[in-house]
């Protein structure tokens, strides 16, 4: 069978924009690791899909919002690896609006079956009763992935993002959602490196989640750049991202990676990093979400991202 997980080679690309004090910034282009399953979600799916195969499951079931990168990646990876996929989607009103949503359209084309649930039901998704009900409908051949895809096998996959050549960097930066990617990076970081995480959402619970998966303490979460919460943005961020794209030709998503890169420039400009620090920021992907993001912005007659 075609294996979407073997032989991934990723380039570190220098960002040729001015940073003060001799600081340099490189992007690890994980967004290019696969055309459809791109970014950290490919890494998080790898050992889970291998485990599902080992357990002879034929279906992946997972959870997500209407524009979820994890939903898109699971749908595509399932199709490529010969597994059926079921997406439990937050928001029952989306049921007859699939055609209006690029993420759901894509997932459906990959063969994903949807189960739309109310926000109240969705909040119960980690309860045993909710899961048992679901599995009752779908049978025993189902392998369940949590929302955002984070579990111990996902962390294992994310440990493969850093390689020995990356030892030359002083600071590793990543955007944080559920914390799985950052945990993997911490586990494979070198002792002289510091791993900085930039949560894309409000809340102090992430420290505890990450601690479950790591034993080192060369890391820190910087909570000042979520722009008000998950998927919240402002005009400064949009302008920054359009300008960044114009000057570098690199596309950043506005939910995760864009906020992190904005933060790195802001921190560098206020003297946060030592002179000559070499920073490696992980481009975790998420570009599939830009189309849906722009559609929502257009409906509100707001400025959009001038790239995909
Ligand atoms: C999901 C996602 C993240 C967050 O990853 P976690 O492992 O959930 O912290 C970061 N960037 C992008 C583009 C993502 O899609």
């Amino acid at each position: 069978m075609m294996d979407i997980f073997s032989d991934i080679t990723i380039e570190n690309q220098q960002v040729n924009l001015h940073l003060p004090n001799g600081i340099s910034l490189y992007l690890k282009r994980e967004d290019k690791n696969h055309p459809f399953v791109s970014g950290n979600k490919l890494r998080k799916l790898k050992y889970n899909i291998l485990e599902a195969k080992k357990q002879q499951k034929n279906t992946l079931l997972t959870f997500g919002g209407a524009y979820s990168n994890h939903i898109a990646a699971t749908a595509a990876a399932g199709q490529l690896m010969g597994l059926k996929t079921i997406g439990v989607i937050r928001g029952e009103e989306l049921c007859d609006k699939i055609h209006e949503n690029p993420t759901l359209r894509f997932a459906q084309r990959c063969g994903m079956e949807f189960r739309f649930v109310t926000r109240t039901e969705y909040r119960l998704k980690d309860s045993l009763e909710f899961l048992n009900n679901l599995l009752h409908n779908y049978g025993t051949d189902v392998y369940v992935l949590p929302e955002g895809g984070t579990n111990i096998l996902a962390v294992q996959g994310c440990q493969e993002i850093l390689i020995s050549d990356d030892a030359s960097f002083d600071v590793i930066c990543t955007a944080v959602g559920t914390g799985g990617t950052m945990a993997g990076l911490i586990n494979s970081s070198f002792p002289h490196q510091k791993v900085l995480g930039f949560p894309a959402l409000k809340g102090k619970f992430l420290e505890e989640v990450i601690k479950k998966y790591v034993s080192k303490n060369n890391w820190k979460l910087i909570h000042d750049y979520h722009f008000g919460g998950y998927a919240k943005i402002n005009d400064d961020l949009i302008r920054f991202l359009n300008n960044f794209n114009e000057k570098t030709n690199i596309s950043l998503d506005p939910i995760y990676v864009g906020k992190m890169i904005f933060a790195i420039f802001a921190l560098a400009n206020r003297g946060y990093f030592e002179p000559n620090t070499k920073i490696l920021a992980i481009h975790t992907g998420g570009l599939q979400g830009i189309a849906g993001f722009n559609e929502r912005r257009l409906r509100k007659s707001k400025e959009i991202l001038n790239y995909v």
Side-chain angles (χ1 to χ4, degrees), residues 71-308:
I71 287 289
T74 303
Q79 185 179 46
L80 292 165
M81 297 296 289
L83 292 163
K84 285 196 276 190
T85 53
I86 299 166
V88 179
I89 309 293
R90 182 180 60 229
E92 58 181 348
E93 76 283 358
L94 295 165
C95 167
D96 47 13
K97 292 195 182 129
I98 296 172
H99 59 283
E100 290 176 23
N101 179 310
T103 301
L104 296 179
R105 257 189 339 249
F106 170 79
Q108 192 172 51
R109 255 187 283 122
C110 294
M112 182 174 263
E113 179 187 326
F114 297 126
R115 170 89 178 251
F116 294 95
V117 301
T118 63
R119 283 165 176 74
T120 318
E121 276 183 283
Y122 192 83
R123 252 176 262 128
L124 301 172
K125 67 186 181 310
D126 297 322
S127 82
L128 216 54
E129 193 190 344
F130 182 82
L131 256 179
N132 281 338
N133 261 332
L134 266 179
L135 296 183
H136 181 73
N137 288 325
Y138 295 114
T140 54
D141 292 332
V142 173
Y143 184 90
V144 178
L145 285 162
E147 180 184 46
T150 286
N151 58 16
I152 187 83
L153 293 176
V155 172
Q156 189 189 339
C158 291
Q159 287 168 195
E160 295 174 355
I161 294 174
L162 288 181
I163 57 169
S164 53
D165 282 356
D166 298 325
S168 63
F169 292 98
D170 307 303
V171 174
I172 311 295
C173 293
T174 188
V176 178
T178 60
T181 303
M182 178 154 182
L185 291 168
I186 294 166
N187 286 340
S188 57
S189 66
F190 296 86
H192 66 275
Q193 294 177 329
K194 179 120 191 194
V195 184
L196 297 181
F198 297 86
L201 60 163
K202 271 198 231 177
K204 298 282 175 182
F205 59 95
L206 279 167
E207 265 88 1
E208 295 311 311
V209 177
I210 291 169
K211 278 182 195 159
K212 282 203 303 191
Y213 297 110
V214 307
S215 52
K216 301 183 192 171
N217 46 27
N218 60 335
W219 58 278
K220 186 175 175 186
L221 291 177
I222 296 178
H223 287 282
D224 306 330
Y225 295 95
H226 53 60
F227 288 77
Y230 186 71
K232 300 268 196 324
I233 46 120
N234 65 23
D235 292 343
D236 279 355
L237 180 65
I238 300 298
R239 244 167 267 138
F240 173 84
L241 295 177
N242 280 330
N243 186 36
F244 185 89
N245 178 263
E246 239 167 69
K247 295 203 171 125
T248 63
N249 219 11
I250 298 170
S251 298
L252 305 177
D253 85 296
I255 313 292
Y256 291 105
V257 188
K259 289 180 179 178
M260 166 188 66
I261 298 293
F262 182 100
I264 291 170
F265 276 85
L267 290 174
N269 285 320
R270 64 179 172 73
Y272 181 85
F273 300 107
E274 301 274 313
N276 305 317
T277 298
K278 267 186 92 182
I279 303 172
L280 178 64
I282 315 301
H283 191 326
T284 41
L287 302 180
Q288 70 84 28
I290 293 177
F293 175 83
N294 275 342
E295 283 178 19
R296 276 172 285 158
R297 297 279 294 175
L298 276 175
R299 265 183 244 134
K300 297 189 217 155
S301 307
K302 297 234 173 91
E303 206 178 331
I304 62 165
L305 296 172
N306 301 323
Y307 57 86
V308 284

